[in-house]
Amino acid sequence: MRIINIKPDRSAHLLLAALPFVLVALTYVIASALRLSENPADKLLPAFSTMIDSIRHMAFEEDTRTGSYLLWSDTFASASRLFWALCISTSVALIVGVLMGLLPLMGAFVGPFIAVASMVPPLALLPILFIVMGLGEASKIALIVIGTLPFLIRDLALRVAELPREQLIKAQTLGASTWQITLRIVVPQMLPRLIDGVRFSLGPAWLFLIAAEAIASDSGLGYRIFLMRRYLAMDVIIPYVAWITLLAYFSDTLLVWIQKRAFPWFSDARAT
Amino acid sequence: MSVISFSHVWKEYGDQIVLEDISLDIEDRAFVALVGPSGCGKTTFLRMLLGQDVATRGAILLDGLPLHGEPDADRGVVFQRYSVFPHLTVLGNVMLARELELSPFLGRLMGAAKKDAEADSLKLLDAVGLSGAQALYPASLSGGMQQRLALAQAIMRKPKVLLLDEPFGALDPGIKADIHTLMRKLWHESNLTVVMVTHDLSEAFRLATRVVALERRRDRPEERERYGATIAKDIQIWPRRIAGTPQPRSSSRDDLAKSGAIPGRPGLAMSEQIT
Ligand SMILES: Nc1ncnc2c1ncn2[C@@H]1O[C@H](COP(=O)(O)OP(=O)(O)OP(=O)(O)O)[C@@H](O)[C@H]1O
Ligand SMILES: [Mg+2]
């Protein structure tokens, strides 16, 4: 039988999916045990038990200096930056993207500008943002917005342009005005596609968030990781990285779930 | 009233002449079938009538007035595909026409107006054989059901002219026969002038009051660019079909043809069940 025709059944599927995770964990445990047996004070690959201790300390014990629970306050700081930044990106992208894709006049007006502006490396703008907006929340949120917005706009404008011409003609023959077409035909069909765009933007958004927090901040997951680097505290850094990964994965799953629930027509319509 | 008149209409794309000196008067409530070889300009003809495209020369009049330069509610349309909105349910697709008409800002109706629109839409869905499917999304409808829905949606806005571009081209013969019965019924019962492009000659002769054939008189490769298609034949169907007066004779002939074509296939609209 050709290998392209061999499909895993349910249990094989689960097994295959779990295997890479198990392999990575196992490799780590073995390597860590080997290093620790040579030098019990080794900091590079701490044992799982050490990491669990550190996390317990970070998550459930009050920090003596600030009086807060560091893991949670860091998570809250990072998550709210990310949340507000993505809210701004998404709403601006919806408006500009739909206008650009639907109105040839707007496409001609802002299209080339956005094509050029999207080539500016956002991190190169970070110093400017710090100078102009200060070191507070605004500059960090601005960096994430600048980093994600051009892609979201261009992606959405393309999706609007991809709508079959027939739909727009048909709407006009039902007497729809441009406003009504936007409101009843285009925007409702763009919302689930915008969710797809946001999913692809989550990675870059985290990248810019951590970069901004690493350079100038006093809270946040990225700040903590870079702070701990000075003490070679791998027992905190590794769990923090895992936690960030988990958060990112969870937000992606949440977006998929929202997309399925709120737009039940979308998966079928996309298939045809 | 909806009289359409083409006078000396030419259509060129760049150097290529597609339609050449078309003059045609379509009387009120006619059912014109437009036939012709692929690429001869049938869709182009329909697009001009729809306002999606403008004639290079000549004039097209609707009830004596020049056509609007963009599609409007006077002219309904059903394409071969993509005629219905995937994000609206069957009921939502039909109601849309009313909502757009009565609610310019929100495009949505509330309260009694909404109830009314729903009731009318359900009645129309029933007439096109889609009762029971109102909560489904178009992606879960068969091709035939989607075209029924597209027809209902177009009719809901009560256009003067209904334009159809190979609307049933992708349907299998049995379903086609059912939908022909529906098409004939809609034409008889609504105040419509119909122009339908089709590749299927038997469909043209079965439904239309008049069959117009477009053709290039000169079609050698070197002549292709310089000569467009003209009206090669213009046939009045006899005995005459008159809108609003269904003829039992012609439909029984269709029934015979249908049951012969697909033995064992159960008859009319109900043969498309929701699965
Ligand atoms: N937008 C356009 N730009 C340039 N040429 C076009 C355009 N639209 C149509 N044509 C040309 O006009 C001619 C007629 O096209 P049209 O689509 O009207 O044919 P048709 O009769 O509908 O064919 P079919 O039966 O295959 O649908 C074709 O040669 C096509 O290449
Ligand atoms: Mg065509």
Side-chain angles (χ1 to χ4, degrees), chain A residues 170 173-174 179-180 183-184, chain B residues 77 87 99-100 105 107 157:
Chain A
K170 178 78 191 202
T173 65
L174 297 178
W179 168 246
Q180 286 177 320
L183 203 64
R184 290 300 316 270
Chain B
V77 67
H87 63 295
E99 291 179 307
L100 294 172
F105 291 113
R157 187 66 202 247

Side-chain angles (χ1 to χ4, degrees), chain B residues 128-191:
Chain B
V128 300
L130 283 178
S131 47
Q134 65 265 26
L136 299 177
Y137 286 102
S140 54
L141 299 182
S142 70
M145 290 164 81
Q146 287 194 17
Q147 293 310 77
R148 285 166 186 276
L149 176 58
L151 282 171
Q153 186 185 46
I155 299 281
M156 185 75 180
R157 187 66 202 247
K158 301 198 166 45
K160 294 178 175 175
V161 183
L162 184 60
L163 304 171
L164 310 165
D165 195 354
E166 300 186 42
F168 316 131
L171 306 181
D172 77 55
I175 289 175
K176 222 176 190 177
D178 294 344
I179 214 165
H180 285 167
T181 311
L182 170 63
M183 191 60 236
R184 207 178 279 126
K185 188 176 100 169
L186 291 176
W187 175 63
H188 280 305
E189 292 173 1
S190 325
N191 192 7

Side-chain angles (χ1 to χ4, degrees), chain B residues 176-266:
Chain B
K176 222 176 190 177
D178 294 344
I179 214 165
H180 285 167
T181 311
L182 170 63
M183 191 60 236
R184 207 178 279 126
K185 188 176 100 169
L186 291 176
W187 175 63
H188 280 305
E189 292 173 1
S190 325
N191 192 7
L192 276 180
T193 302
V194 179
V195 180
M196 175 179 77
V197 168
T198 178
H199 268 134
D200 180 348
L201 274 181
S202 79
E203 176 174 271
F205 280 98
R206 242 188 247 170
L207 290 178
T209 56
R210 182 174 175 191
V211 177
V212 173
L214 291 177
E215 207 173 352
R216 289 166 195 278
R217 274 167 306 141
R218 302 165 193 242
D219 203 18
R220 296 215 305 271
E222 69 275 16
E223 295 170 340
R224 188 154 245 173
E225 289 238 311
R226 301 311 311 156
Y227 293 91
T230 52
I231 294 176
K233 292 221 167 60
D234 185 350
I235 304 163
Q236 287 284 348
I237 300 300
W238 197 261
R240 294 187 64 157
R241 297 186 176 124
I242 297 162
T245 55
Q247 293 154 299
R249 193 175 152 271
S250 73
S251 74
S252 74
R253 190 171 56 196
D254 287 348
D255 286 347
L256 269 181
K258 182 167 48 190
S259 58
I262 303 182
R265 198 186 161 86

